[in-house]
Every structure is written in C-alpha cells, then in structure tokens.
Amino acid sequence: MNKNKLFFASALSICLLEAVAIPSAIFASSDVTKSRDVFNDTFDRKDPVSHFVLVPGYGHLKIFVKNRGNSTITFSLVHKDSGKLYITKTVGAGKELPWNSLDSFSQGLRSGNYEIQWRAGGNIVNVTAWGVSGTDSANTSTTVTQNAGTTTTGDRVITPQKMGNSFGSRVQGGATVQSAFEVPRGYGHVKLTLKNNSSYPVKVSLTHNDSGKEYISGATISPRSSLTWKSTDKGITDGLRSGSYTLQWRGGNYDVNAEFNGVAGSQPGDL
C-alpha cells in the first residue's frame, strides 16, 4: 500500500453521564496525515484545570466543550512554558462550544505544556471537554463543521453560532490586566461592550496580536459605566483582520474590576 495515501482518524472514546458521542472521524479530510487525542476531561468541582501537551508538529488544536451545569463557564487556554494566553471563552449554562485553532492561528500553536483553567464565578464547574491535535498539514474540517445545522446519531454535530463568534469574560486582578479573544476569518465586523464595575476610571486598549495594530488606544471608561465599540462606527468597512486580539485594562492605582462581551459578524448589519 502506498504510504502517502494512508490516512487515519483519531479514535476517541468518552463515557459521559450525558452520553455525548465522539465523532468517528475527528480530522475527516483527504488532506489529513495524523492526529492525536490530547485531553478528555469531565469535571464536577470548583476551579478545575485540564493539563495536556502538544508535541512538535501537532500544533493544530480542536476543542469541544459542553457545559452541563446551571452557571456560565469561563475557560482560558494558556501555554505554560511561555505564559502566553491564547484564548478566553465563555459557555452559557447547558450550552456547547467548539473551538478550532485554524480559525485564528493558521500556523498552529507552539509545542509544549498547556493548561485550560475552568471557572464558573465561584460555583461548581460541571463540564465535559475534549481536545484533538493535528499535524501541520491537517485540515480540521470534520463531520462537525461539514454537516453543521443538521442532527445525526453517533456524531457530534455542532451548529455554528449565528454571528460566527461570540466571546466575553470577567476581568479582575491587579492594576493592569489582559484579556483575549479571536476574530475568525470572514467575521471581521466586531462589536465590543466594555464594562467598568469598579468605583474608579479604567483605561482600555485593543491590539491585534499578530500585527501589533492598535484599534483602541487607552479609551477611558468612567466608574460604573460601559463603552460600546463597533468596528463599523470607526470606518473599518472591510472589518478587522482575523486572528487573536488582546484587551489591556489599566486601573492606575486601583485594581481592575471589569467585564466584556463581544460578537464577530460576517456582515456590518450583523452587529
């Protein structure tokens, strides 16, 4: 048999209280060479952490999250070796969220040790999640994305969010705090709602990580107030560039206590 034509899919099995099935072909494409399961966790406790390793050459990561609880979950993906925060996402009570690194990091994630920090605002985290990584040539399009909007038995089919991507997080800590989100390809029209929950002013900046371009430069949000920012209102007719973004919050002499929510749409009217 010609080895160049040998393709195989990752076999992934989970025993869940929710009986959520795993796709029989995680990387189901003729371009796929290799894939591997990197984590498979079910938690029912406060502030759990998932740990896994991406080996060199397997930098494309697909994550699926199912929130089985009654509280909104926030999770953050961190490269432990460098401290780099790749994403922070929220998943509503009873909701599911798929995330594919190819949508924001076309070159793949760096190899090394990773952790996912799970939080539910001080409540119990009830979550089931798994992750699969692929080689540099892997195409992570699967039955999940190819058949989105349909229902099947045996394969997880995940309906994409209407706006392409939604995100949000609480932002707390010291006087300078960072939070992150992604803009997928084709969904560059972005609306952000930035809320300052503290009794002191806070300044916010927004930067595109890959290019260093700054879209918001130290905008001041008054105490107990919010700021709504739309790319369409800033004359960005073609939308923001895809990739990862960082919001930097500065509270001066005071700790930051804030939150943000955002949505990315494919058309200006989506906002």
Side-chain angles (χ1 to χ4, degrees), residues 135-166:
T135 62
D136 291 343
S137 59
N139 177 350
T140 55
S141 121
T142 70
T143 54
V144 172
T145 55
Q146 292 164 358
N147 302 324
T150 66
T151 302
T152 66
T153 301
D155 284 347
R156 283 203 194 108
V157 174
I158 303 163
T159 303
Q161 294 172 332
K162 181 179 179 182
M163 307 307 290
N165 188 31
S166 61

Side-chain angles (χ1 to χ4, degrees), residues 27-207:
F27 293 106
S29 166
S30 60
D31 294 329
V32 176
T33 55
K34 294 181 180 179
S35 62
R36 62 174 62 203
D37 308 335
V38 292
F39 74 92
N40 171 6
D41 291 328
T42 296
F43 296 117
D44 296 282
R45 63 175 186 268
K46 286 188 177 181
D47 303 339
V49 178
S50 296
H51 298 277
F52 64 93
V53 177
L54 292 185
V55 300
Y58 286 78
H60 298 295
L61 178 65
K62 185 176 184 65
I63 294 173
F64 177 84
V65 179
K66 180 177 178 64
N67 182 355
R68 298 180 288 102
N70 297 319
S71 302
T72 296
I73 289 174
T74 299
F75 70 93
S76 300
L77 173 65
V78 179
H79 183 252
K80 291 296 294 178
D81 300 328
S82 65
K84 178 178 175 60
L85 172 66
Y86 275 98
I87 60 170
T88 297
K89 297 282 188 181
T90 57
V91 188
K95 302 296 185 180
E96 298 175 346
L97 177 70
W99 182 77
N100 193 329
S101 66
L102 283 175
D103 293 336
S104 304
F105 306 97
S106 59
Q107 301 302 312
L109 309 184
R110 60 185 74 181
S111 61
N113 296 288
Y114 283 81
E115 72 175 26
I116 298 178
Q117 302 164 355
W118 306 90
R119 301 292 183 267
N123 298 320
I124 298 294
V125 175
N126 303 108
V127 66
T128 292
W130 52 257
V132 180
S133 67
T135 62
D136 291 343
S137 59
N139 177 350
T140 55
S141 121
T142 70
T143 54
V144 172
T145 55
Q146 292 164 358
N147 302 324
T150 66
T151 302
T152 66
T153 301
D155 284 347
R156 283 203 194 108
V157 174
I158 303 163
T159 303
Q161 294 172 332
K162 181 179 179 182
M163 307 307 290
N165 188 31
S166 61
F167 43 84
S169 175
R170 292 292 299 273
V171 186
Q172 295 176 305
T176 300
V177 184
Q178 292 185 344
S179 50
F181 64 90
E182 293 80 40
V183 173
R185 289 187 185 88
Y187 292 90
H189 301 288
V190 174
K191 176 182 177 181
L192 297 173
T193 301
L194 312 171
K195 186 177 180 181
N196 179 12
N197 295 323
S198 77
S199 301
Y200 307 96
V202 65
K203 291 187 176 182
V204 182
S205 298
L206 173 65
T207 304

